[in-house]
Amino acid sequence: MTPLLTITGLSKRFGGLVAVHDVTFDVKEREIASVIGPNGAGKTTFFNLLTGIFRADAGEIRFRGRNLLGLRPDQIAAAGVARTFQNIRLFGAMTTLENVLVGQHANIATSYLDALLRNRAFLQRERAAIERGRFLLDYVQLGSKAAEIAHNLSYGEQRKLEIARALAANPALVLLDEPSAGMNPRETGEMRDLIHRIRDELGISVVLIEHDMPLVMSVSDRVIVLDHGEKLCEGLPAEIRSNPRVVEAYLGRSVAAKLAKAHDALVEVTQ
């Protein structure tokens, strides 16, 4: 089966800083893949390359066989790739429903004249958009807050609203940048369930950047580890969890060495 997304040799440099170097992997249909790594590993830069915010210096990004390099962010969204951001970027003064409607703009075929005249075709499209917007709010458990101003929502609810807005673009792939950041355990559990539902019920592939390792290990089909902009390894969650190179990347050589010595000492005592 041809992968939904294929990334080959992706690289990005900012002056003398290599942010992403020669990253290669793919994402399958109906797959949840997590990209993890310590702070400064190049994860958000990687997302910005996928969505056209940054232009890659080298490599290739193919989505459904189409090369995305050189496309604008709106063109990439129209092609079927949507995203959320590490720092929430909602329209705070607009209602939750209006925020979701904004996410549909790329898929609503209308003209200025239609909007001015508010003819029958325009009104039908408007009703359909509102109906889908309410469905998506219900889907992320915000249906009762359709008229609520976005900045009045709790932090966890704003995270859910960002995802609803991303889903409004009708994507085949959604990129979630630290979706559980700042959440309490209950909200994190709800986010885990929502990510699974997006894959299982809507058939949308998910790639997430995440620092919450219990969430990553419980939700992912596959995990990709970045360190200093390079792909350190990839594999099943259980493989990544026990990989000494991943432990070293997260904790540093000195701490990892101390842990290894402590483990060896414990083994000797128990033998």
Side-chain angles (χ1 to χ4, degrees):
M1 179 184 296
T2 302
L4 179 69
L5 176 73
T6 300
I7 300 149
T8 307
L10 194 63
S11 299
K12 179 64 180 179
R13 178 188 295 271
F14 297 98
L17 173 65
V18 179
V20 175
H21 177 65
D22 197 27
V23 172
T24 297
F25 69 91
D26 57 45
V27 178
K28 301 177 179 64
E29 297 271 4
R30 301 176 69 95
E31 180 178 36
I32 299 172
S34 290
V35 178
I36 67 170
N39 290 329
K43 302 182 299 296
T44 295
T45 297
F46 173 71
F47 265 21
N48 288 337
L49 291 170
L50 293 187
T51 53
I53 294 175
F54 295 155
R55 186 180 293 270
D57 296 326
E60 188 174 65
I61 303 169
R62 287 200 169 272
F63 178 71
R64 290 173 163 171
R66 179 184 180 185
N67 190 1
L68 298 184
L69 289 186
L71 297 185
R72 301 188 309 267
D74 61 300
Q75 293 173 319
I76 293 173
V81 180
R83 73 169 293 180
T84 66
F85 291 87
Q86 182 178 352
N87 298 314
I88 295 173
R89 298 187 184 182
L90 296 171
F91 298 100
M94 296 168 62
T95 68
T96 62
L97 179 59
E98 289 169 340
N99 269 272
V100 177
L101 290 175
V102 168
Q104 297 187 56
H105 77 280
N107 297 312
I108 299 176
T110 190
S111 67
Y112 290 113
L113 184 60
D114 289 339
L116 180 65
L117 298 177
R118 295 185 63 81
N119 55 30
R120 178 178 297 179
F122 174 83
L123 293 175
Q124 287 176 339
R125 287 190 286 267
E126 184 179 57
R127 283 194 295 270
I130 291 172
E131 182 177 347
R132 175 162 173 75
R134 291 188 180 280
F135 163 79
L136 290 171
L137 288 176
D138 285 337
Y139 199 79
V140 300
Q141 299 178 322
L142 292 176
S144 64
K145 301 193 174 185
E148 187 78 46
I149 298 300
H151 68 65
N152 291 337
L153 298 177
S154 70
Y155 183 83
E157 289 171 338
Q158 289 185 31
R159 284 283 181 192
K160 290 180 178 179
L161 179 55
E162 262 214 321
I163 292 176
R165 187 176 63 183
L167 295 176
N170 196 29
L173 173 67
V174 63
L175 311 176
L176 306 180
D177 196 343
E178 297 194 30
S180 74
M183 289 186 171
N184 60 41
R186 176 187 59 80
E187 291 170 328
T188 299
E190 292 176 354
M191 181 59 65
R192 180 191 61 240
D193 294 342
L194 177 58
I195 292 170
H196 272 136
R197 289 171 51 224
I198 289 171
R199 190 269 311 275
D200 296 338
E201 298 174 357
L202 302 182
I204 297 172
S205 296
V206 180
V207 178
L208 65 147
I209 292 172
E210 188 53 71
H211 284 289
D212 187 318
M213 288 301 101
L215 174 61
V216 168
M217 296 303 166
S218 64
V219 80
S220 306
D221 298 311
R222 193 159 44 93
V223 180
I224 297 94
V225 185
L226 298 184
D227 185 32
H228 293 93
E230 298 186 1
K231 188 177 82 171
L232 187 66
C233 58
E234 69 174 289
L236 299 175
E239 296 169 340
I240 297 301
R241 187 189 300 117
S242 60
N243 189 313
R245 297 176 67 199
V246 176
V247 175
E248 183 177 302
Y250 267 95
L251 300 178
R253 288 182 172 82
S254 61
V255 176
K258 289 178 182 178
L259 286 177
K261 288 181 179 178
H263 177 267
D264 291 343
L266 180 60
V267 170
E268 289 181 5
V269 169
T270 56
Q271 284 179 344

